[in-house]
Amino acid sequence: MTQTSPLRHAVVIGGSMAGLLAAAVLAEHAAVTIIDADTLPESPEPRRGLPQARHVHVMWSGGARAIEEILPGITEEWTRAGAIRRSLPGDLVTKTAQGWIPRCAEKQFNISCSRDLLDSVVRARVTSLEGVTTLQETRVTALEGTAARITGVRIDTPDGRGRLVDADLVVDASGRGSRARTWLQELGVSGIERAEVDSGLVYATRVFAAPPGAHEMGFPIVNVQSDPRVPVPGRTATIVPIENGRWQATLSGTRGGQPTGDPEEFIPFAKGIRDPIVGELLEGRTPLTDVAVTRGNANRRLYFEKADLPDGFFAVGDSVATFNPLYGQGMTVAAQGLLAVRALLRARGLAQPGFGRRAQRALAPQVGTAWELATSQDILYPGATGMAPRAGAGLLNGYVSRLMTGATTREALTSAFLQVITMSSAPTYWLRPSVVWHVLRASDRDALKAAPLTAAERAVAGLDRDPVGAPAPTDLPDLSALPPLSDLPELPELPDAAAASRPVDPAHPVDPAHPVDPVGRAR
């Protein structure tokens, strides 16, 4: 451990993924205390403070690589613990708004398992680091200090209330329920702006026993997405094979089309969306849990980076921004942002004046990229509330729609689509000349009409009938009205620290067939 003199102390509020990764980054420079209101389990178990863990969580390759940089070897530890390394799009059967994505050679990957397992492996690794300790069943009640400088936190423990914990740095990673904005306002800090886009999204999840032999054969993730271009509630259904021979099935619906907690309605809901394949796969499966429902999944963002924050403080993860969980961005945004924070620390150390403010600004580009991707789609659904799309968003959405249509038939565009969706590159990747060339030639000709399950997969799942043909993709948008690329709105680039975590082969700018990297390659 690299130490400053005298040894400094950092407090991290929250022991979930963002808090654990923050602790790992800070442990190079300080003693770290993680404070959490729960008892942190030693194995993959649910905990009260993370109710969203009951739903599907997929670690995209962009996030896995970032966490691998912070905790080398973590991907292998996940797979040893039971997680499944999935090749994309080879191990993915997904219908996007534009149609089915063909299953071809690896472009990206993800890690499939329960959120409890993801956190458990990282928690065991981080809490074993030198200088990292935890205060469990402990609630932070206030920030200590002034509008100029945070000097610690006040906590309530099982043994007493109002105890002071001194700190050179306080990191808020307490999640959706964060009170950091209120605490800062109580100290006289103003100007922390807030934004929200709410589509009324509701999630419902149930875990089923997978069919015998499905895990052994590597049964794929199956996902049917909504189409925000159609003015109806957006409804989705997903099956993710997870550890211990289980299928985790999550349904979602926006305002006017939400799923419920009624177990009798779970499979009918899945069969009633754009393609019934998820419901058909679940029919006859043995449920292992009740239906878990989560509401209040609005996209929310606090612009800490625009305020005059006191020194000795920054926020990360869901404390800064929460996104529609459908896009799987939260953990990756936190990990990539903390890589940028690590670069600041390694350059000048924790003692640098104004470090907290610099760290907050370093996190902002990742948050901004995810915010644009999530809110530009969610605001399109009927009844959605919040900030309107920025100028030019319609034209850019038309270009992206054509790119995604091309991804259903053209392998180079499948690669480009996954490069951004897995957060391995910023959306500006889609405006590269090599990608634009393919987009201008995109066609829906020969697009798949049904879910691309193999005969063996259909057999193990008990689908012994002919596949049902899906509707043909809608007509391509007219590109004649699009302005020159130079006139399209700029999208934020990821900072160098995050970019360094994603190797790109310059000989394959669209990377139509080359496997991305060896991280976690063993299944």
Side-chain angles (χ1 to χ4, degrees):
M1 174 172 143
T2 302
Q3 296 184 359
T4 58
S5 182
L7 180 65
R8 295 182 177 272
H9 180 226
V11 163
V12 176
I13 308 172
S16 192
M17 184 66 75
L20 291 167
L21 295 177
V25 167
L26 292 168
E28 294 183 12
H29 305 267
V32 181
T33 303
I34 301 170
I35 302 177
D36 199 279
D38 284 348
T39 299
L40 300 176
E42 296 183 2
S43 57
E45 297 175 12
R47 63 187 187 93
R48 181 185 56 194
L50 196 63
Q52 66 268 34
R54 300 172 296 180
H55 306 297
V56 161
H57 281 75
V58 177
M59 176 64 70
W60 294 122
S61 44
R65 291 191 204 101
I67 298 175
E68 185 74 24
E69 282 211 20
I70 296 170
L71 300 170
I74 197 68
T75 316
E76 183 180 350
E77 292 181 35
W78 279 326
T79 56
R80 281 205 309 266
I84 307 168
R85 197 267 194 193
R86 293 294 189 183
S87 173
L88 301 179
D91 294 336
L92 177 67
V93 172
T94 185
K95 186 173 188 176
T96 68
Q98 288 74 15
W100 293 103
I101 297 294
R103 298 168 71 180
C104 51
E106 178 169 305
K107 317 302 176 195
Q108 297 292 332
F109 67 93
N110 65 28
I111 305 297
S112 297
C113 62
S114 68
R115 175 64 188 270
D116 293 334
L117 188 148
L118 277 174
D119 279 15
S120 175
V121 172
V122 172
R123 184 165 55 245
R125 178 74 175 274
V126 172
T127 55
S128 69
L129 295 174
E130 181 183 355
V132 175
T133 59
T134 63
L135 280 177
Q136 303 179 42
E137 299 182 25
T138 300
R139 190 173 300 277
V140 175
T141 59
L143 295 173
E144 186 74 9
T146 67
R149 174 79 196 186
I150 299 301
T151 58
V153 295
R154 292 282 175 180
I155 62 172
D156 289 345
T157 73
D159 300 324
R161 301 172 63 87
R163 173 185 159 194
L164 172 63
V165 178
D166 293 321
D168 299 285
L169 176 70
V170 175
V171 179
D172 178 38
S174 55
R176 282 180 174 263
S178 168
R179 298 188 61 221
R181 187 184 189 213
T182 299
W183 293 335
L184 290 167
Q185 288 172 339
E186 290 172 351
L187 295 175
V189 179
S190 60
I192 303 175
E193 300 174 11
R194 185 178 185 272
E196 179 174 305
V197 172
D198 185 4
S199 65
L201 187 74
V202 171
Y203 264 65
T205 293
R206 200 172 201 190
V207 177
F208 296 80
H215 265 51
E216 290 77 6
M217 76 180 305
F219 200 88
I221 296 169
V222 181
N223 165 251
V224 179
Q225 301 173 19
S226 56
D227 186 349
R229 303 169 302 176
V230 180
V232 298
R235 300 192 299 169
T236 73
T238 303
I239 294 173
V240 175
I242 62 173
E243 69 273 14
N244 301 324
R246 297 176 293 164
W247 279 0
Q248 190 175 42
T250 290
L251 313 177
S252 78
T254 62
R255 190 169 285 110
Q258 298 102 325
T260 72
D262 184 349
E264 299 301 320
E265 294 298 322
F266 195 88
I267 291 175
F269 183 101
K271 293 176 72 173
I273 64 174
R274 294 174 62 223
D275 189 282
I277 185 63
V278 169
E280 293 169 353
L281 287 167
L282 294 177
E283 216 158 25
R285 306 276 75 83
T286 301
L288 302 177
T289 67
D290 293 330
V291 179
V293 176
T294 297
R295 297 175 174 82
N297 294 300
N299 303 277
R300 295 191 182 94
R301 182 177 181 185
L302 293 172
Y303 290 86
F304 287 105
E305 72 277 8
K306 294 183 179 181
D308 187 14
L309 291 180
D311 204 0
F313 172 88
F314 72 90
V316 67
D318 285 1
S319 296
V320 177
T322 60
F323 311 103
N324 179 340
L326 177 66
Y327 308 119
Q329 298 167 311
M331 292 183 289
T332 295
V333 168
Q336 291 180 339
L338 286 165
L339 275 181
V341 172
R342 187 181 71 172
L344 287 175
L345 282 168
R346 288 182 172 179
R348 299 180 58 187
L350 186 59
Q352 60 182 280
F355 168 73
R357 289 188 288 273
R358 288 191 179 91
Q360 198 71 69
R361 288 194 292 269
L363 293 165
Q366 288 84 6
V367 175
T369 296
W371 180 258
E372 290 291 339
L373 286 171
T375 60
S376 64
Q377 299 301 300
D378 281 11
I379 196 62
L380 300 177
Y381 290 111
T385 61
M387 56 188 295
R390 60 180 180 172
L395 292 172
L396 188 57
N397 285 344
Y399 173 82
V400 173
S401 178
R402 187 178 180 95
L403 182 151
M404 292 178 65
T405 298
T408 66
T409 58
R410 188 177 282 250
E411 190 170 349
L413 291 182
T414 304
S415 176
F417 164 66
L418 290 169
Q419 185 79 13
V420 172
I421 294 303
T422 62
M423 304 190 74
S424 299
S425 291
T428 47
Y429 184 91
W430 284 341
L431 299 180
R432 290 186 176 187
S434 55
V435 177
V436 173
W437 187 91
H438 285 287
V439 171
L440 294 175
R441 290 155 181 79
S443 168
D444 59 1
R445 187 179 306 158
D446 300 325
L448 297 167
K449 307 300 182 187
L453 290 164
T454 67
E457 289 163 352
R458 293 183 63 82
V460 80
L463 300 181
D464 54 359
R465 52 178 174 70
D466 292 330
V468 178
T474 56
D475 292 336
L476 295 176
D478 181 8
L479 288 186
S480 62
L482 286 176
L485 290 177
S486 59
D487 293 342
L488 288 173
E490 292 186 2
L491 292 169
E493 288 278 13
L494 296 177
D496 292 343
S501 71
R502 52 173 196 272
V504 176
D505 184 351
H508 300 85
V510 183
D511 201 14
H514 184 64
V516 175
D517 61 35
V519 171
R521 186 163 304 287
R523 302 178 72 134

